[in-house]
Amino acid sequence: MRKKIVAGNWKMNKTFEQADELMSDIMDQLEQTELNRDVQLIVCPPFPYLELCTDYANDSYFAVGAQNVSDQERGAYTGEVSAEMLKSFELVDYCIVGHSERRSYYGETDAIVAAKVNRLLAAEITPIVCCGEVLAEREAGKQFDVVRRQITDGLFHLDADLFKGIVIAYEPVWAIGTGKTATPDQAQEIHAFIRQLICEKYGNEIAQDTTILYGGSCKPSNAKELFANPDVDGGLIGGASLKADEFIAIAKAF
Ligand code: PEP
């Protein structure tokens, strides 16, 4: 059975003290709440707070992820963080790749996404690979073409064994941080499409085992109906992951 995941992407938010407070609030919430233990919780803080979060993760069952990684191995790349460095934190098990903000503000292409995925897999870190169309593409009915290209060019160079180590997040860009959410039917339609693409490339068993998350203004009020879809295996959560009660309420939607 494929893994269910609720992952929080803190983006560039919180001071160190605020990050500590958020983690402590999450721990309090976890103590008071009965969560479905089949759901993997992940927090993805900014790089400087990875150690803080892995310290908390030590005594808990949630995991820690980074928000980005370099496409280069090591060396003179000022400001970059390598997969090997992430690996040396030991408890950093996931990393977001190809988020639409990285694609649009930092020119992250499918080829760069593919290179980052390779670095992460070599370091035994699970990439959470984002895909999704912008509003104009959705309005032009191009969402399937866009997502097919992102998945094919970013991931389908992998052999089947490596592909098994991938988590995908479908994030319609028009729904990120806008308060607009894809309807459950819109989410299911694309998730089923992605699973079908994987099936055509790697076969049904791998397609059925691949976790595909939804992201885009997911919150406690809509998580249940989104996660009820057969091909939606959880969420990548931005804004709502910055408040412990909302983040845990979303995890409880399973
Ligand atoms: C995101 O950026 O991955 C995201 C889903 O953000 P939000 O939940 O704020 O829309």
Side-chain angles (χ1 to χ4, degrees):
M1 218 178 69
R2 55 185 177 257
K3 217 182 230 181
K4 308 275 186 203
I5 292 177
V6 173
N9 173 11
W10 295 4
K11 309 193 184 184
M12 197 172 72
N13 290 297
K14 307 280 181 195
T15 61
F16 184 84
E17 287 74 20
Q18 290 166 343
D20 193 16
E21 197 180 325
L22 175 54
M23 284 313 306
S24 153
D25 288 350
I26 289 175
M27 299 307 288
D28 287 349
Q29 292 271 335
L30 285 175
E31 264 172 33
Q32 291 160 26
T33 315
E34 196 58 38
L35 276 189
N36 180 344
R37 290 281 163 154
D38 293 336
V39 179
Q40 175 71 68
L41 271 190
I42 305 171
V43 293
C44 302
F47 288 130
Y49 312 150
L50 281 172
E51 191 165 5
L52 168 82
C53 294
T54 55
D55 282 350
Y56 277 101
N58 237 336
D59 311 319
S60 183
Y61 77 103
F62 70 84
V64 177
Q67 297 175 19
N68 188 26
V69 69
S70 176
D71 57 337
Q72 302 296 326
E73 189 174 12
R74 72 173 68 84
Y77 299 98
T78 303
E80 290 289 281
V81 173
S82 71
E84 188 182 45
M85 291 172 184
L86 295 179
K87 183 66 188 165
S88 66
F89 274 102
E90 283 183 5
L91 284 173
V92 176
D93 292 323
Y94 294 86
C95 181
I96 299 168
V97 185
H99 191 281
S100 62
E101 288 152 15
R102 301 245 20 123
R103 290 178 190 264
S104 65
Y105 304 146
Y106 302 100
E108 201 157 299
T109 60
D110 294 323
I112 294 175
V113 170
K116 292 184 173 190
V117 163
N118 294 343
R119 296 278 177 222
L120 289 168
L121 289 173
E124 296 176 342
I125 293 171
T126 301
I128 301 175
V129 182
C130 303
C131 60
E133 78 286 357
V134 301
L135 185 60
E137 291 163 338
R138 162 74 55 171
E139 285 174 347
K142 296 214 169 102
Q143 64 271 30
F144 298 105
D145 293 340
V146 171
V147 167
R148 181 191 290 108
R149 192 209 70 225
Q150 291 171 332
I151 298 282
T152 304
D153 295 356
L155 289 175
F156 281 0
H157 61 287
L158 297 172
D159 67 26
D161 268 350
L162 284 174
F163 186 85
K164 286 183 197 165
I166 297 292
V167 170
I168 293 174
Y170 168 61
E171 301 204 296
V173 182
W174 46 271
I176 294 180
T178 58
K180 257 192 212 167
T181 315
T183 64
D185 285 350
Q186 284 172 325
Q188 170 58 26
E189 186 181 37
I190 299 269
H191 281 233
F193 172 73
I194 294 170
R195 205 175 299 288
Q196 183 56 32
L197 289 177
I198 299 168
C199 178
E200 284 161 19
K201 173 77 182 171
Y202 297 107
N204 193 43
E205 198 179 325
I206 291 182
Q208 291 307 322
D209 284 349
T210 303
T211 297
I212 307 176
L213 309 178
Y214 168 79
S217 298
C218 187
K219 37 190 183 265
S221 59
N222 59 24
K224 212 179 182 78
E225 52 177 4
L226 284 163
F227 297 171
N229 284 294
D231 288 297
V232 178
D233 306 315
L236 180 55
I237 319 297
S241 72
L242 296 173
K243 292 194 183 129
D245 54 345
E246 293 192 16
F247 185 52
I248 300 301
I250 291 171
K252 277 169 75 179
F254 275 112

